Every structure is written in C-alpha cells, then in structure tokens.
Amino acid sequence: IELTTDAEFDAPIIDLRATASMRDVINAHHYLPKTLPPKVLDWLDGAIGGGSISSATFRLSGPLKAFPYRNGEGEFLIKADFRDARFRYAPDWPEVTNASGQLVFSGPSLYTVQNSARVSGIDVRNVNARIADLRDGIVELEASANTDLPKVLNFLQNSPVRKFTGA
C-alpha cells in the first residue's frame, strides 16, 4: 500500500494491491467499500447466502475523493473466484445454489463471468449478470440451460411469474 497526500489530507492518493480468500462469504458485504450505495449493500447483505472465495485480487489506485472512478480517474477492481455459493437475487424467486464463477467489481459496475449454478433443480451455465452502475441497481442477466418441462414449471410455480401464467 502506498498513500500520498498533502499536509491537510485534502487530496489523498492511494495505490493498494491485495489478495485474499474467504471460507464463508456470508459476511462478505462487510468488506466492501461503504461508499457503495446503501441499497446495494443492503441487497448484497440479504442476497448472499453462503459459499467460499478461493482467490480474490483487489486493486485500488487513484485519488480517494474520485472513488469509484466513474470517469477513469483511477482504478477500482475486485476479482473474486467463488464456489458453492447460494444467492437470493430477488424476493420470492428461487434461490441460486451450487454457484461458481468469478465476480468482478470494476469501477462503478459489477458483473460475473465463467459461471454455473443451479436454480429450482435446473443446471444453468454461461450465466452472465451485470450491473452497469451500482447506483442504478439495474441487473442484466443471461444464462442457458437444457432441462425438462417439469423443472421449468417448478421454477415458474416458485416465482412471481406464477401470478401471470397460472403455473
């Protein structure tokens, strides 16, 4: 870690690199920057149900006042390889289980890559989730799966979609 500043500490500049691992991610949200929007921190607090991080890298470089570097003033990057994760992404939707992949915080965005998971007994792969700007909290999600109709119906019956489909 390197920290440079003026005598009044008005313009601190940081250069930090770190690595970590975590056996149980249930409290991982406590380690995220508190400058993230409260709704995002609350969402992560309720959504993360377990799992582990085998390897994570952390990079924070630039003027602290410009964090999270929306305009390229510095770099904020966390890459975390996770496995056996449980995640409740939204109320009333089935929980994601047996998830593995990589979670990336990059500047103001959050996304996942190289993912697989299980939802309502359906094995899902090529899961790509992205929040372009954590202030907005809009999630874009893509995934693929090969499964049978009873599992799809089970998923629909255990989600808010049931109100619209009669499933």
Side-chain angles (χ1 to χ4, degrees):
I1 183 170
E2 182 179 325
L3 185 64
T4 308
T5 189
D6 56 355
E8 293 79 30
F9 207 74
D10 285 334
I13 298 172
I14 193 164
D15 188 8
L16 171 66
R17 297 171 194 254
T19 59
S21 62
M22 187 177 284
R23 279 190 220 132
D24 187 356
V25 298
I26 195 75
N27 293 314
H29 63 281
H30 292 297
Y31 301 101
L32 295 174
K34 300 306 177 221
T35 55
L36 291 173
K39 67 180 181 180
V40 172
L41 292 171
D42 290 345
W43 174 69
L44 287 169
D45 182 27
I48 298 171
S52 63
I53 295 174
S54 58
S55 173
T57 58
F58 180 87
R59 173 95 165 114
L60 179 61
S61 179
L64 288 175
K65 285 188 175 183
F67 180 83
Y69 312 123
R70 283 183 171 78
N71 300 311
E73 309 92 329
E75 181 182 21
F76 170 58
L77 182 65
I78 299 173
K79 292 183 178 181
D81 296 323
F82 63 91
R83 65 176 180 249
D84 302 322
R86 291 188 341 271
F87 195 74
R88 184 159 299 281
Y89 50 95
D92 301 324
W93 285 86
E95 182 179 50
V96 173
T97 61
N98 299 334
S100 65
Q102 186 177 75
L103 179 68
V104 180
F105 286 87
S106 180
S109 67
L110 168 106
Y111 61 92
T112 61
V113 294
Q114 304 170 352
N115 300 305
S116 62
R118 191 167 181 83
V119 180
S120 290
I122 301 170
D123 290 321
V124 183
R125 59 188 186 288
N126 303 322
V127 179
N128 293 308
R130 179 174 182 76
I131 301 174
D133 190 323
L134 289 166
R135 292 179 300 184
D136 300 331
I138 298 170
V139 179
E140 299 172 19
L141 180 65
E142 293 178 351
S144 61
N146 286 327
T147 192
D148 53 28
L149 186 57
K151 288 181 182 177
V152 173
L153 290 174
N154 181 55
F155 174 78
L156 294 174
Q157 290 167 344
N158 290 293
S159 77
V161 174
R162 71 182 165 273
K163 293 184 282 188
F164 304 103
T165 63

